[in-house]
Amino acid sequence: MAVSARGSPWDDVVEMTKAAQGKGCDPLSWAIQIHSHLHSAGESLPSLELANVLVSHICWENNVPIMWKFLEKAFMLKIVPPMLVLALLSVRVIPCRNSQPAAYRLYLELLRRHAFELKSQINGANYPKVMKTIDHVLHLSEIFGLTQSEPGIVVAAFIFSVVWQLLDASMDDEGLLELTPEKKSRWANLYQEMELDWHDGYDDKKTDRQEKLQNLNTLMAIDIIGQFLQDKKSSRILYLVRQNMPIHWRSFVQQLQLLGANSLALRKSRTISPDLILQFTSDTDVVLSEERKMSSQQKFRAFLAFEYLSSSASLCHGASHSALWIPLDLVLEDTMDGYQVSTTSAIEIISGLIKTLRAINRTTWHDTFLGLWLAALRLVQRERDPIEGPMPRIDTRVCMLLCIIPLVIADFIEEEETPIHESDSGPTNHWKEKKVPGKCRSELESSVQVLGDYQSLLVPPQSIVAAANQAAAKAMLFVSGITIGSAYFESLSMQEMPIDCSGNMRHLIVEACIARNLLDTSAYLWPGYVSGRINRLPQCLPTQAPGWSSFMKGAALTPPMVNALVSSPASSLAELEKIFEITTKGSEDEKISAATILCGASLLKGWNIQEHTVHFIIRLLSPPIPAESTEGNNHLINYAPMLNVLTVGIASVDCVQTFSLHGLVPQLACSLMPICEVFGSCVPNVSWTLSSGEEISAHAVFSNAFILLLRLWKFNRPPLEQGIGDVPTVGSQLTPEYLLLVRNSHLVSAGNTHKDRNRRRLSTIATLSSPNSVFVDSFPKLKVWYRQHLACIASTLSGLVHGTPFHQIVEGILNMMFRKINKGSQTSVTSGSSSSSGPGNEDPSTRPKLPAWDILEAVPFVVDAALTACAHGRLSPRELATGLKDLADFLPASLATIVSYFSAEVTRGVWKPAFMNGTDWPSPAANLLNVEEQIKKILAATGVDVPSLAPGGSSPSTLPLPLAAFVSLTITYKIDKASERFLNLAGPALESLAAGCPWPCMPIVASLWTQKAKRWSDFLVFSASRTVFLHNSDTVVQLLKSCFTATLGMNSSPLSCNGGVGALLGHGFKSHLSGGISPVAPGILYLRVYRSLRDVVFLTEEIVSILMHSVREIVSGGFAKERLEKLKAAKDGIRYGQVSLAASMTRVKLAAALGASLVWLSGGLMLVQLLIKETLPSWFIAVHRSDQEEKSDGMVAMLGGYALAYFAVLCGAFAWGVDSSSSASKRRPNVLGIHMEFLASALDGKISLGCDSATWRAYVSGFVSLMVGCTPNWVLEVDVDVLKRLSNGLRQLNEEKLALALLGAGGLGTMGAAAEVIIDGEM
């Protein structure tokens, strides 16, 4: 491309050059003359126009040796910009290299001498203009798709283009371009635009001299390519290209690999070899030059960012491999809280957490899967003998191990084995582990094999020993080459086996993986997997006992068959599909039997097919509308018996928790709402009689569905109207509207779920149930009740007008509840606005014939009238409890509104206290002191003082009247299966209600209930112990401290002397030990407490404070005074006492990981953003002083900075994820940008800091290191100017390498600045 001369100076230059050329003038004299002439003409030097004039003059009319010497001297006197000259020459000389081999040789010489002298060129006066011209000459922006043309970006693109042009030319010379997909040079179009005749004057008949020169040129070009790849600065610039131009880089590397595999010239090179090419194209670090020695602080940071806790050093001080996965242990245990259901699938939560931990800790898939299995096994072993009570049992924990975890792993394997499209490639794909098909699967296999070394974790709980033994027997039969039918296997007991077939949890894990095609039966052949072989089977013929095998062969669903299928889980999807087919095509009785079977063992213990079982149940709860259906939702009426079986069958705590783990709570709610709407609108005389003779009313169907629906959100708590900042609180999301919103989002994302197996499954379930979005407005009756419910919580009752039809409904219900009292007394219990008295006129046997919704609307007024009558002495406590129980028996769903009313009234504080004296109200005195002692034992490991429960003087214990009425109502229920679903609603509400009242209300309630249900006493006392922390924030802080000291093993308690996961979460709630109840691990207590905390904002400051205190304790405990002196005296402090330092760093990371986990669990995205936006900046600005810091000579300060960095990055990664796959990641750019602006401003000196300078430096370097090395997507979201300022600040801290890495990870926007740092630096 020609740059036109502007007039006489350039005509003079051409004439002077021609004259000097003709006379054979000395090149230096010519250059001096040109320099003087241009200077006198006022031209700025180096001159872009002169570069064009000289190159145009040479190519090709004056291609003589003396002109190339003139050009060389022009370089030397800096009258032309070398990079521009090389760019101009490349598009003229390279395409003509065969016809002009001598010119090509001279071009390569100039390239060798001047292409690496970049520093002087980027500091020149015309640098931006030169780069703009080069971009125009080589069309770099067009070829590489550059959206920005900063000078530094053009420098990087120029170097890349020069290397690639040489690569293309060398491959073309050896005939290797035919092996590329394009079959031609990538630069052919650029060369054609130059309108050059490539073969001008070219003789096809090469002379020997020409051919030899061409071969030497090819060899020299390859040598120069090797020089670019190995030179410290150019190789780093090429690494920037790799980071930010991945598609072009991939094509370049493919050509480089072809050169390495096929080039003969490459094998003759003395500067580069095929092995070096292979290393360059395969290494994660493209820089082949010698690594610069790291400073001590960089070694600290490298240990922090890129090593993980499973190193040998981690075995010190109680930290083990399990310490790496403490966040995972906490999350798994947190999902076992039966009082909380989640709208998000546990599969999604765990998958995101695994991605985060794997990225931060840089673990292999083998270590990742092993950590996942071990954490899930610890979850099971922690409660292998759980206490009795309305809480998830062992089945839910085993569901996590054998169903959820395999599904998580299946997603990872599918993601690895799914081809990546070009559009999926981002500018940061370089950091990810290279995908090797089958690697993830093979490392899963190796991780399961290694599980055999953890025998103590593999012992099966008693309830699943039979399943484990059967899995072991199945493998043993396979290894022995014995094939038997499923009927034989079902009838064969383990006692009949000729050898021991004792199984363990690994056998069940393998079966769960085989069922999902993650492993195959070759696992049965692993060494030590089975204990022997079977030579023969017992000579017993299998009887035709009812079971899945006989059912699959066509046996009818007789009562014995149904009982057999309910009690044993299905073993295959085919068996479930046949059951599901019966629910849609069978007779009415068969449909009911099939629904019963689905809700039996296949739901709770069918771990290999559980995801299909919950799917089928959801579909049955939303039956399709028949073609001949009447209008509206009346088609549901025809399914009433089956719907009732389903809502009762999945009402247990374990069943609801199972749906929660699978992420089906939103869809379950969506399926229950139309059932409630329809059956709540039916009059009670609508009923169905089953073949067994049992009669089911519309009220029963409604109540079972309604109570189950209400358990899916905290209906008895008012939604919090405001969150912190721009993020709503978690509590405010648990509403019917939010549940439907989440469910509808599964439909919306149906077209974008090809990358996520779990979301694809949820989308399929939602679509099959109802292909359209569903809103609360679709259920007007439910919406009216919900509005009344919120109004009842927000304010006192009003609006009841005497004489209206609604008032008559209220009076009718009151007469039904207290008909005996009204009949035998002249004082009736009436609503507050009624003036009637005397006995009721209605027949006592007559109950209101009203739809359930009408009754629920009246219940708050009914309960208010009854409670008022009790408060004024017109109704005894016993009569009140009996009347409320009659109401709940008449319409069980009314229990929900009773809960809502009592919860609201307790908070108002307008009712007089009830004296629990044993006369009017039940007395807790019989075991209140015993409850106090047990609470003290439970909290013994925390150091928290338990307030005395004994009332002052001789006065009895008191409860607020609404609470006393509610507890009196609940203790009228029997502890049996029929009452379980109602107590599962009332129990958590009662505890929440009592916990919100002054101490010791909850212990009093627990005392009363332990008299009622002695086998629940441990559970009730534990529940009471949790409320200690809800009345005093200081006790919460003490509990947090206990979590840290236990995890780090920094106290003398037998429970936590070894530290780690075992000390934090303990080994379950054990009450059968000698001496009765035992202390509960602090982590378990916190996980069961934090959701009830009214205020979690203070936790961020407290956790930061405890974390820094823990760092001081770690250093003082890990470094004795004499060791510190030796460490200071050593030449290399890191090498001396390395084990102590490594152990301290490990424990610091452990403390930070614990702190981050607690912040994330306690407040989610809201609390994490508060931490990063406000808490941490405030902490750095505040002044901190510690004698311990001075004694440790800055070691505490530095380790504290690293701890805060690791803590902050983990918090963000937990909340936002390391990539952009989660919805929460959309909030990351704003919050992260604010924090990075704070860091940059502090480094600029715009913000005055009060913390120790060593702490600040360690924090900044640690935070940036973790971002660059572990979360590079975050860097791309930060403003380019902020990144540049931050990089400048890091260089001021002598962190040049980190400053460069930050710019390199910032995308195209910072690639130019990074290239200039590389060129201008001395690294």
Side-chain angles (χ1 to χ4, degrees):
M1 130 88 214
V3 179
S4 60
R6 293 181 303 170
S8 57
W10 308 113
D11 295 337
D12 294 343
V13 166
V14 172
E15 293 302 322
M16 293 167 63
T17 302
K18 288 181 178 178
Q21 178 183 340
K23 296 177 182 178
C25 181
D26 177 60
L28 181 60
S29 299
W30 169 86
I32 294 173
Q33 184 182 11
I34 296 297
H35 183 281
S36 175
H37 178 76
L38 292 178
H39 182 71
S40 62
E43 294 291 335
S44 61
L45 299 175
S47 171
L48 281 67
E49 290 83 354
L50 179 60
N52 178 70
V53 167
L54 293 179
V55 172
S56 299
H57 184 71
I58 293 175
C59 303
W60 289 106
E61 294 179 359
N62 297 282
N63 179 25
V64 292
I66 193 170
M67 280 306 305
W68 289 91
K69 292 179 181 178
F70 285 174
L71 193 60
E72 170 70 18
K73 295 306 178 183
F75 280 17
M76 186 180 74
L77 291 188
K78 301 181 180 178
I79 59 176
V80 292
M83 274 196 288
L84 176 58
V85 172
L86 294 174
L88 292 167
L89 287 173
S90 67
V91 295
R92 288 166 170 79
V93 175
I94 292 178
C96 300
R97 64 189 180 281
N98 290 327
S99 61
Q100 304 289 347
Y104 185 44
R105 177 73 173 195
L106 293 170
Y107 163 74
L108 292 176
E109 285 291 348
L110 289 176
L111 199 61
R112 186 200 297 272
R113 296 179 186 180
H114 300 284
F116 301 97
E117 298 174 356
L118 302 172
K119 186 172 183 179
S120 60
Q121 299 183 54
I122 70 168
N123 292 324
N126 292 333
Y127 167 57
K129 189 176 180 181
V130 170
M131 291 302 106
K132 184 177 181 180
T133 305
I134 290 175
D135 184 24
H136 189 57
V137 169
L138 296 179
H139 297 188
L140 297 176
S141 293
E142 298 174 19
I143 292 174
F144 295 128
L146 302 177
T147 56
Q148 303 179 47
S149 57
E150 292 181 9
I153 295 177
V154 177
V155 170
F158 166 73
I159 292 175
F160 185 39
S161 70
V162 168
V163 178
W164 205 342
Q165 287 184 76
L166 293 180
L167 176 61
D168 260 12
S170 302
M171 293 184 68
D172 190 25
D173 292 342
E174 295 194 83
L176 300 179
L177 279 182
E178 292 297 320
L179 302 178
T180 64
E182 298 83 5
K183 308 291 184 183
K184 64 176 184 178
S185 170
R186 184 178 183 83
W187 306 93
N189 293 335
L190 175 64
Y191 298 154
Q192 288 172 0
E193 290 180 12
M194 299 306 300
E195 299 179 354
L196 295 171
D197 184 359
W198 290 23
H199 300 282
D200 185 24
Y202 177 62
D203 186 1
D204 287 338
K205 297 180 180 179
K206 298 180 182 179
T207 64
D208 291 341
R209 183 176 178 278
Q210 281 181 317
E211 186 172 354
K212 183 177 181 181
L213 183 57
Q214 288 175 2
N215 291 336
L216 289 175
N217 285 347
T218 302
L219 179 60
M220 185 175 182
I222 289 176
D223 284 343
I224 293 176
I225 292 173
Q227 193 173 348
F228 273 108
L229 300 185
Q230 296 176 84
D231 178 78
K232 181 185 296 183
K233 293 185 177 180
S234 62
S235 63
R236 285 177 173 165
I237 290 175
L238 289 174
Y239 183 56
L240 291 177
V241 174
R242 176 183 182 175
Q243 285 179 290
N244 298 288
M245 298 160 60
I247 296 177
H248 299 289
W249 181 262
R250 194 153 43 243
S251 299
F252 170 73
V253 165
Q254 288 171 355
Q255 287 189 222
L256 203 57
Q257 290 170 335
L258 287 174
L259 182 77
N262 301 283
S263 173
L264 297 177
L266 177 61
R267 284 154 178 78
K268 300 177 183 178
S269 174
R270 296 182 180 179
T271 61
I272 192 169
S273 65
D275 290 340
L276 201 59
I277 292 287
L278 178 64
Q279 180 184 353
F280 180 87
T281 57
S282 61
D283 278 1
T284 55
D285 188 355
V286 74
V287 182
L288 302 181
S289 56
E290 182 181 356
E291 285 297 325
R292 156 184 188 271
K293 293 182 179 179
M294 290 191 294
S295 68
S296 295
Q297 196 153 46
Q298 285 172 323
K299 290 183 180 180
F300 268 110
R301 191 171 60 254
F303 186 92
L304 175 79
F306 305 120
E307 295 296 329
Y308 57 93
L309 301 180
S310 61
S311 64
S312 59
S314 69
L315 300 178
C316 304
H317 304 285
S320 64
H321 186 278
S322 64
L324 179 63
W325 305 103
I326 270 188
L328 180 58
D329 280 273
L330 285 168
V331 168
L332 294 184
E333 185 61 49
D334 188 54
T335 62
M336 296 298 111
D337 186 350
Y339 289 168
Q340 179 74 15
V341 294
S342 175
T343 57
T344 305
S345 163
I347 301 169
E348 182 178 340
I349 295 172
I350 296 169
S351 295
L353 182 60
I354 289 297
K355 287 180 182 178
T356 294
L357 293 176
R358 187 164 181 264
I360 299 295
N361 296 311
R362 310 296 282 254
T363 54
T364 63
W365 277 121
H366 170 88
D367 286 340
T368 300
F369 291 148
L370 181 60
L372 190 54
W373 290 124
L374 293 178
L377 283 168
R378 287 192 292 269
L379 179 75
V380 173
Q381 296 297 337
R382 203 170 291 128
E383 292 291 351
R384 56 182 297 116
D385 300 311
I387 60 176
E388 288 196 56
M391 58 186 291
R393 299 176 182 271
I394 192 67
D395 289 335
T396 307
R397 293 174 180 266
V398 179
C399 162
M400 178 65 77
L401 172 67
L402 299 181
C403 185
I404 301 300
I405 299 303
L407 290 175
V408 169
I409 293 173
D411 284 356
F412 286 130
I413 290 179
E414 182 183 86
E415 181 182 352
E416 182 203 57
E417 296 179 352
T418 301
I420 299 180
H421 301 284
E422 289 287 323
S423 59
D424 297 332
S425 301
T428 59
N429 273 354
H430 68 278
W431 74 272
K432 296 180 181 177
E433 182 180 338
K434 186 177 180 181
K435 289 191 174 183
V436 180
K439 182 179 181 183
C440 193
R441 190 181 293 272
S442 65
E443 296 202 17
L444 165 65
E445 181 176 342
S446 65
S447 72
V448 180
Q449 283 184 283
V450 172
L451 284 180
D453 298 335
Y454 298 85
Q455 289 298 320
S456 62
L457 289 176
L458 298 178
V459 179
Q462 189 60 41
S463 62
I464 58 174
V465 166
N469 292 344
Q470 193 173 47
K474 181 180 177 182
M476 191 173 294
L477 291 170
F478 177 88
V479 171
S480 304
I482 298 175
T483 303
I484 62 174
S486 56
Y488 190 104
F489 195 71
E490 286 178 4
S491 64
L492 186 65
S493 68
M494 294 304 104
Q495 288 76 17
E496 295 171 331
M497 294 292 283
I499 63 175
D500 181 25
C501 292
S502 298
N504 58 34
M505 299 303 293
R506 186 167 71 137
H507 293 106
L508 292 173
I509 289 172
V510 168
E511 291 302 317
C513 291
I514 291 176
R516 295 171 177 88
N517 297 317
L518 305 179
L519 297 175
D520 55 37
T521 52
S522 63
Y524 297 157
L525 305 176
W526 292 344
Y529 187 74
V530 295
S531 57
R533 292 175 179 266
I534 302 173
N535 296 324
R536 62 180 181 82
L537 283 174
Q539 299 300 316
C540 61
L541 293 177
T543 59
Q544 291 298 320
W548 285 101
S549 58
S550 56
F551 167 71
M552 293 300 288
K553 292 178 181 178
L557 286 179
T558 61
M561 175 65 76
V562 172
N563 292 336
L565 301 188
V566 167
S567 60
S568 62
S571 59
S572 68
L573 177 58
E575 294 170 348
L576 285 181
E577 288 174 335
K578 185 170 182 179
I579 287 291
F580 181 73
E581 184 179 5
I582 292 175
T583 63
T584 58
K585 299 179 180 179
S587 66
E588 290 303 315
D589 289 343
E590 287 178 332
K591 289 180 179 180
I592 295 174
S593 297
T596 304
I597 292 168
L598 282 177
C599 298
S602 295
L603 175 58
L604 285 181
K605 296 183 181 294
W607 303 296
N608 295 345
I609 42 85
Q610 192 178 63
E611 63 269 31
H612 304 294
T613 306
V614 293
H615 177 189
F616 287 137
I617 292 174
I618 288 289
R619 288 180 63 182
L620 289 179
L621 285 170
S622 301
I625 301 176
E628 66 279 6
S629 172
T630 56
E631 60 182 59
N633 285 319
N634 291 339
H635 74 285
L636 293 175
I637 297 292
N638 299 326
Y639 296 93
M642 185 180 71
L643 293 175
N644 191 67
V645 166
L646 293 170
T647 53
V648 173
I650 63 174
S652 70
V653 174
D654 282 300
C655 289
V656 172
Q657 210 66 17
T658 297
F659 280 91
S660 176
L661 294 179
H662 284 275
L664 292 176
V665 164
Q667 183 56 55
L668 179 59
C670 182
S671 299
L672 291 172
M673 287 180 187
I675 299 174
C676 294
E677 188 74 15
V678 171
F679 289 95
S681 302
C682 296
V683 292
N685 56 5
V686 177
S687 61
W688 299 263
T689 303
L690 306 182
S691 58
S692 62
E694 180 185 359
E695 185 174 336
I696 301 174
S697 68
H699 278 184
V701 178
F702 167 78
S703 293
N704 291 326
F706 187 64
I707 287 178
L708 181 59
L709 174 63
L710 294 191
R711 288 172 55 198
L712 304 184
W713 83 88
K714 293 185 177 180
F715 78 99
N716 60 303
R717 292 187 181 183
L720 302 177
E721 296 298 333
Q722 57 185 9
I724 294 178
D726 58 349
V727 182
T729 61
V730 176
S732 65
Q733 297 176 351
L734 297 174
T735 63
E737 294 93 340
Y738 182 74
L739 291 174
L740 291 179
L741 181 65
V742 174
R743 182 266 171 192
N744 293 339
S745 71
H746 295 158
L747 291 177
V748 173
S749 62
N752 301 314
T753 56
H754 63 280
K755 298 180 186 177
D756 191 321
R757 179 176 178 173
N758 178 58
R759 292 183 184 178
R760 187 168 65 241
R761 185 174 64 89
L762 292 176
S763 176
T764 300
I765 295 174
T767 303
L768 289 174
S769 298
S770 177
N772 301 316
S773 295
V774 179
F775 304 95
V776 173
D777 290 340
S778 304
F779 314 108
K781 296 289 188 180
L782 174 64
K783 185 177 180 180
V784 167
W785 175 86
Y786 184 59
R787 285 182 173 178
Q788 184 196 40
H789 159 73
L790 295 180
C792 177
I793 291 177
S795 61
T796 56
L797 293 174
S798 61
L800 183 61
V801 179
H802 176 64
T804 61
F806 181 70
H807 176 262
Q808 293 175 2
I809 294 174
V810 173
E811 290 294 323
I813 297 174
L814 284 170
N815 286 332
M816 176 200 71
M817 293 169 59
F818 305 109
R819 57 187 178 275
K820 295 179 181 178
I821 304 171
N822 290 343
K823 186 176 181 180
S825 170
Q826 290 300 309
T827 304
S828 67
V829 181
T830 61
S831 57
S833 60
S834 173
S835 60
S836 63
S837 61
N841 297 323
E842 288 186 303
D843 182 354
S845 63
T846 304
R847 293 192 169 195
K849 303 296 184 181
L850 297 170
W853 289 121
D854 293 349
I855 296 173
L856 286 185
E857 186 180 3
V859 166
F861 297 93
V862 170
V863 180
D864 183 69
L867 195 63
T868 301
C870 183
H872 291 83
R874 299 197 305 270
L875 194 67
S876 72
R878 183 180 296 276
E879 292 166 340
L880 173 64
T882 302
L884 292 174
K885 183 63 165 58
D886 286 345
L887 173 60
D889 289 342
F890 168 60
L891 181 66
S894 63
L895 181 62
T897 304
I898 293 172
V899 168
S900 173
Y901 172 81
F902 282 144
S903 299
E905 291 303 310
V906 164
T907 62
R908 306 196 210 288
V910 297
W911 299 92
K912 66 180 182 180
F915 292 93
M916 315 304 289
N917 52 19
T919 303
D920 299 316
W921 298 93
S923 171
N927 58 350
L928 189 58
L929 293 179
N930 182 48
V931 168
E932 178 181 1
E933 289 303 314
Q934 289 180 317
I935 291 176
K936 289 180 178 179
K937 286 185 179 181
I938 289 174
L939 303 184
T942 67
V944 172
D945 293 328
V946 178
S948 176
L949 303 185
S954 59
S955 59
S957 302
T958 62
L959 291 178
L961 182 61
L963 176 57
F966 189 27
V967 70
S968 297
L969 168 62
T970 59
I971 60 178
T972 63
Y973 281 90
K974 295 181 180 180
I975 309 301
D976 56 18
K977 190 170 182 63
S979 301
E980 179 186 11
R981 56 187 180 276
F982 307 124
L983 290 176
N984 287 339
L985 176 77
L990 176 62
E991 181 179 345
S992 174
L993 184 58
C997 295
W999 183 268
C1001 287
M1002 183 58 206
I1004 292 173
V1005 170
S1007 299
L1008 293 171
W1009 253 96
T1010 53
Q1011 298 174 35
K1012 165 76 176 182
K1014 295 188 181 300
R1015 68 175 189 269
W1016 282 12
S1017 61
D1018 290 344
F1019 167 77
L1020 294 165
V1021 172
F1022 176 65
S1023 297
S1025 69
R1026 297 188 298 175
T1027 60
V1028 173
F1029 302 97
L1030 306 182
H1031 298 281
N1032 187 346
S1033 60
D1034 291 340
T1035 60
V1036 178
V1037 175
Q1038 180 59 42
L1039 180 57
L1040 287 170
K1041 291 178 179 178
S1042 298
C1043 290
F1044 278 84
T1045 55
T1047 304
L1048 299 173
M1050 294 192 301
N1051 60 19
S1052 58
S1053 168
L1055 191 66
S1056 59
C1057 60
N1058 293 322
V1061 176
L1064 176 65
L1065 298 177
H1067 303 284
F1069 189 100
K1070 306 294 185 184
S1071 61
H1072 54 270
L1073 303 176
S1074 58
I1077 208 162
S1078 62
V1080 175
I1084 294 290
L1085 278 170
Y1086 187 80
L1087 291 177
R1088 300 298 178 257
V1089 164
Y1090 77 84
R1091 284 192 177 92
S1092 299
L1093 297 178
R1094 304 296 184 191
D1095 174 28
V1096 294
V1097 174
F1098 78 99
L1099 292 177
T1100 57
E1101 293 183 7
E1102 294 296 342
I1103 289 175
V1104 169
S1105 176
I1106 295 170
L1107 174 61
M1108 299 308 290
H1109 176 77
S1110 298
V1111 172
R1112 288 193 290 273
E1113 290 295 315
I1114 289 169
V1115 173
S1116 63
F1119 287 96
K1121 184 176 181 180
E1122 59 273 14
R1123 182 175 292 278
L1124 279 172
E1125 294 300 323
K1126 293 178 181 179
L1127 190 62
K1128 288 191 292 182
K1131 291 183 178 180
D1132 187 347
I1134 288 191
R1135 190 176 299 113
Y1136 191 94
Q1138 188 170 4
V1139 174
S1140 276
L1141 178 57
S1144 295
M1145 286 293 292
T1146 295
R1147 297 176 74 201
V1148 165
K1149 289 181 65 177
L1150 178 58
L1154 173 61
S1157 303
L1158 295 177
V1159 168
W1160 177 47
L1161 287 171
S1162 301
L1165 183 63
M1166 173 271 295
L1167 206 59
V1168 169
Q1169 295 187 172
L1170 176 70
L1171 169 80
I1172 294 175
K1173 288 170 66 174
E1174 299 181 20
T1175 305
L1176 287 177
S1178 298
W1179 190 91
F1180 286 116
I1181 292 172
V1183 177
H1184 306 277
R1185 289 289 180 264
S1186 171
D1187 295 335
Q1188 186 64 34
E1189 288 180 11
E1190 297 177 0
K1191 292 179 182 178
S1192 61
D1193 195 24
M1195 184 67 69
V1196 168
M1198 184 174 63
L1199 287 180
Y1202 288 136
L1204 287 175
Y1206 195 72
F1207 167 70
V1209 171
L1210 265 183
C1211 280
F1214 289 156
W1216 303 317
V1218 294
D1219 52 24
S1220 300
S1221 60
S1222 69
S1223 59
S1225 64
K1226 295 179 176 61
R1227 298 182 181 271
R1228 182 172 59 215
N1230 177 50
V1231 180
L1232 185 62
I1234 292 173
H1235 192 64
M1236 297 297 277
E1237 172 65 33
F1238 167 74
L1239 298 185
S1241 297
L1243 290 173
D1244 292 342
K1246 298 177 182 178
I1247 297 176
S1248 178
L1249 301 176
C1251 66
D1252 190 289
S1253 59
T1255 300
W1256 171 247
R1257 175 171 177 166
Y1259 176 78
V1260 173
S1261 59
F1263 189 89
V1264 174
S1265 291
L1266 287 166
M1267 276 186 60
V1268 171
C1270 305
T1271 61
N1273 282 308
W1274 294 13
V1275 183
L1276 293 172
E1277 297 170 348
V1278 180
D1279 182 76
V1280 170
D1281 292 334
V1282 172
L1283 290 178
K1284 291 178 179 178
R1285 288 166 53 205
L1286 193 53
S1287 177
N1288 291 334
L1290 288 169
R1291 287 199 295 275
Q1292 294 172 10
L1293 297 178
N1294 296 321
E1295 296 285 355
E1296 293 87 357
K1297 189 173 182 179
L1298 182 57
L1300 174 59
L1302 177 64
L1303 292 175
L1308 280 174
T1310 57
M1311 185 173 77
E1316 291 169 355
V1317 169
I1318 291 171
I1319 294 169
D1320 208 29
E1322 300 296 332
M1323 292 183 294

